[in-house]
Amino acid sequence: MALWISHRGESKDAPENTLPAFRLAMERGTDGVETDIHLTADGILVCCHDSDTKRTCGGESKIIERTPFAELEQLDASCGRAEYFGVRIPKYSELLSVLRPGRLCFTEIKENDPRVLPAFLEEIDRSGAAPEQIVMISFHAEIVRLCKEMRPELRVQWLTGFREEEDGGISPSPEKILATLKKIRADGIDAEAKPEYNTAELVKTVKDAGYDFNVWTVDEEETARFYLSAGVDFITSNRAAGLRRRTEQERTT
């Protein structure tokens, strides 16, 4: 049975990567949340997808890695949703403080910067979250490898998208995926949900090799049904609670 992860919180109904979105996921009972973290200029981890705040903060452009937190927390991170006007970019520690026991926190390290890892691990230790609640994900294979080396008990997943090559082949190939997962000692893959590339056969191949399979970002019922039938372990969605409810109702009727 797949676990449902709220992408940037329940971001269909609340501004992405904000405490209201994370709290909504907790209230709605999804299996966990996903977030993206950046390190500010003064060494504080914050939750935001983009390195530049322009898209989510009403056009105000600040590069997180070059900006102290005191400036970032003045921004309105409501993503233009009037009912949430004034909501702020949260610290990663604030997300961990609202994470309920037994719920998962998929944490994407966005920048290919090893300095983020000690700060990330320190926040986890300080929060008191159980190691099994945290799943570190990253597109950067070396970041995944380093995290597993530094903290073997944490679950880590390698993020990847898919693209079609000029010769018609799909990259990364199943062979490349398995070789990468083995090399970086990942526990699984977090793969783009494109059924034309990310097929049921690929899911079986990866799972048969002993790895977890997660898919992002699934918002359509047809795609969710496909990956449920394929046997994935996690489904990451902007509307995780509602999509889970709809697909579970289908299976019981």
Side-chain angles (χ1 to χ4, degrees):
M1 181 72 68
L3 299 182
W4 290 85
I5 308 301
S6 297
H7 185 240
R8 309 177 198 173
E10 282 285 276
S11 54
K12 180 180 182 294
D13 296 322
E16 66 176 65
N17 277 322
T18 63
L19 288 178
F22 299 140
R23 290 193 179 107
L24 200 56
M26 297 297 106
E27 294 165 7
R28 290 178 173 178
T30 62
D31 297 297
V33 297
E34 183 269 353
T35 192
D36 315 272
I37 58 173
H38 295 267
L39 195 64
T40 66
D42 51 345
I44 294 174
L45 287 176
V46 296
C47 301
C48 189
H49 181 272
D50 304 349
S51 182
D52 189 328
T53 63
K54 184 176 182 178
R55 179 179 64 85
T56 56
C57 295
E60 293 195 56
S61 177
K62 291 184 182 292
I63 304 302
I64 293 174
E65 285 74 15
R66 303 175 193 165
T67 309
F69 181 71
E71 291 185 32
L72 293 170
E73 69 175 342
Q74 301 303 313
L75 302 179
D76 166 36
S78 62
C79 298
R81 300 187 185 203
E83 68 272 32
Y84 288 102
F85 180 77
V87 71
R88 305 303 180 191
I89 295 174
K91 297 178 181 178
Y92 182 55
S93 61
E94 293 178 286
L95 163 55
L96 294 177
S97 73
V98 302
L99 185 68
R100 295 184 183 177
R103 312 289 271 282
L104 300 172
C105 183
F106 281 70
T107 306
E108 181 180 351
I109 294 181
K110 298 298 292 186
E111 300 300 316
N112 192 12
D113 183 355
R115 295 178 304 165
V116 177
L117 283 169
F120 164 64
L121 297 174
E122 183 178 339
E123 289 292 359
I124 293 170
D125 292 342
R126 185 183 295 120
S127 74
E132 58 268 22
Q133 289 183 266
I134 307 299
V135 184
M136 196 286 289
I137 59 178
S138 182
F139 283 99
H140 307 295
E142 181 64 7
I143 293 293
V144 175
R145 188 193 68 79
L146 284 172
C147 185
K148 195 65 175 178
E149 181 180 284
M150 295 170 70
R151 198 63 64 88
E153 69 272 21
L154 287 186
R155 188 182 307 175
V156 297
Q157 294 182 351
W158 177 52
L159 274 162
T160 188
F162 294 92
R163 67 179 185 276
E164 187 171 348
E165 302 288 6
E166 291 183 1
D167 63 3
I170 304 303
S171 180
S173 66
E175 295 77 16
K176 175 66 173 178
I177 288 171
L178 292 180
T180 300
L181 295 176
K182 181 178 180 180
K183 180 179 180 181
I184 65 180
R185 298 177 58 208
D187 297 291
I189 188 172
D190 192 347
E192 185 179 14
K194 287 189 173 181
E196 66 271 31
Y197 302 147
N198 184 1
T199 63
E201 290 76 15
L202 177 61
V203 174
K204 184 177 188 304
T205 296
V206 171
K207 287 179 60 67
D208 284 351
Y211 297 103
D212 290 337
F213 209 110
N214 184 8
V215 286
W216 58 272
T217 303
V218 179
D219 286 340
E220 302 300 325
E221 291 179 35
E222 182 178 357
T223 306
R225 287 192 293 268
F226 171 81
Y227 282 113
L228 286 168
S229 67
V232 299
D233 299 288
F234 307 94
I235 296 177
T236 302
S237 172
N238 294 312
R239 50 187 292 251
L243 201 55
R244 178 175 66 180
R245 184 172 59 253
R246 290 294 299 272
T247 55
E248 286 180 348
Q249 287 173 348
E250 289 176 2
R251 292 199 297 271
T252 58
T253 55

